[in-house]
Amino acid sequence: MVLSLLLLDPSAVTEVSQRNIPAPRVLTPDGDRLGYAPVPRPLTGARLLTGVLVGRDPVTGQDIMCGGTVIGSRSRSLVLTAAHCLYHQGRTLGRLAFLPGYDQGRARHGVWPVVRTWVPARWRSRPYSTELLPYDVGLVGVVRRGRPLEAVTGRGLKAMPTTRGTALRGLELLGYPAGKGYPGLRLYRCLGDTVEAISEGPGLMVTRNCHAAAGGSGGPALYGGAVAGVVSSSSPLSDAKGYTVLTRLNGRPFERMLARADRAMRAARRD
């Protein structure tokens, strides 16, 4: 292990301290002490493809809010997010819906009910844990009035697979932080450089320039016009040298899951 995996699930709403990222490490213009700044309006490009994924734990009744982004597919109906935004504490979330282009409480492109979900097999019955973080990526299929999602939002993002050890400079993280100091209603961005987080399995990316707050899970990590990963977790918000963990889109495993999801949604459109 390269870093201590004492992590926060940033989909859970908590109070947010503003004393986390040392100022010299904040790369985002006008970024706060978590490294984040509001995205200027109007939302365009990849930012317009990003939105919120909402759901509810059927046992506790807890509402969950995460980020998500439209990913390009032949079915034109798929959204990329974090696996733990779909399976919370080992339970499948209910009432899932995606709101692309969400801004100030308004769903610019409507509310899209989730009809199918896909996550790596190990997420289906296990509770949230640090050992699952390299596999913390999921897909949802959405349909509204028989129209594919991309017919409304525009073409989805391309996936950028990276292998263990890949370091990227200047990623843009997008999400909807909530809690103290954040409204949870507006898209924020953070620029960060990444290094390898762990040396086992498919690996993880970590950035110490961004400290994802509550609501930030599932948001995309953009690089060169493509999506290289999703926000998985962060160190506790009391950590004075906070960091964010990103699950990379790791080659064949993710490609196979994307292909399965795409086939299923194309078949559903023909039914």
Side-chain angles (χ1 to χ4, degrees):
M1 295 288 181
V2 178
L3 55 84
S4 172
L5 290 179
L6 177 61
L7 299 172
L8 165 78
D9 171 0
S11 69
V13 176
T14 59
E15 292 300 300
V16 179
S17 167
Q18 292 292 312
R19 302 186 300 277
N20 296 103
I21 300 290
R25 286 186 174 170
V26 176
L27 302 182
T28 313
D30 300 319
D32 60 24
R33 289 302 181 90
L34 297 184
Y36 282 81
V39 172
R41 299 184 181 94
L43 303 180
T44 60
R47 298 166 178 177
L48 190 58
L49 298 172
T50 301
V52 296
L53 183 73
V54 295
R56 174 170 292 182
D57 188 310
V59 175
T60 66
Q62 179 184 3
D63 292 325
I64 303 296
M65 185 185 80
C66 283
T69 194
V70 183
I71 190 164
S73 65
R74 294 179 66 185
S75 68
R76 305 171 70 200
S77 298
L78 294 176
V79 176
L80 176 72
T81 188
H84 78 264
C85 294
L86 306 176
Y87 282 73
H88 189 64
Q89 297 298 326
R91 295 185 292 271
T92 305
L93 293 181
R95 302 184 184 180
L96 286 165
F98 179 61
L99 287 64
Y102 185 72
D103 184 56
Q104 294 293 75
R106 298 176 59 190
R108 179 171 177 178
H109 292 311
V111 177
W112 293 75
V114 172
V115 296
R116 291 284 302 273
T117 64
W118 293 266
V119 297
R122 65 194 68 206
W123 274 93
R124 293 173 187 157
S125 59
R126 301 183 190 180
Y128 186 83
S129 68
T130 57
E131 289 77 14
L132 294 181
L133 294 181
Y135 311 94
D136 191 11
V137 60
L139 294 165
V140 302
V142 299
V143 174
R144 187 167 70 100
R145 301 191 188 98
R147 301 183 68 187
L149 178 61
E150 292 183 43
V152 176
T153 63
R155 190 172 183 178
L157 294 173
K158 291 183 178 180
M160 175 187 169
T162 61
T163 57
R164 188 175 64 196
T166 301
L168 299 173
R169 297 182 62 84
L171 271 80
E172 180 179 64
L173 278 59
L174 296 177
Y176 292 83
K180 184 179 179 181
Y182 294 110
L185 301 174
R186 184 171 182 181
L187 186 64
Y188 278 69
R189 66 190 288 256
C190 182
L191 300 180
D193 300 333
T194 70
V195 296
E196 183 64 46
I198 65 173
S199 57
E200 300 173 357
L204 288 166
M205 294 182 288
V206 64
T207 174
R208 295 187 179 275
N209 310 111
C210 305
H211 197 177
S217 289
L222 306 176
Y223 187 79
V227 56
V230 297
V231 174
S232 173
S233 192
S234 67
S235 60
L237 292 173
S238 59
D239 183 359
K241 298 180 179 180
Y243 57 81
T244 293
V245 175
L246 308 171
T247 300
R248 58 166 49 94
L249 307 186
N250 185 259
R252 291 296 300 162
F254 177 75
E255 291 172 4
R256 288 194 292 267
M257 185 171 70
L258 179 60
R260 288 196 304 271
D262 198 18
R263 285 194 300 269
M265 292 305 296
R266 287 169 62 201
R269 287 182 58 191
R270 292 194 294 267
D271 292 341

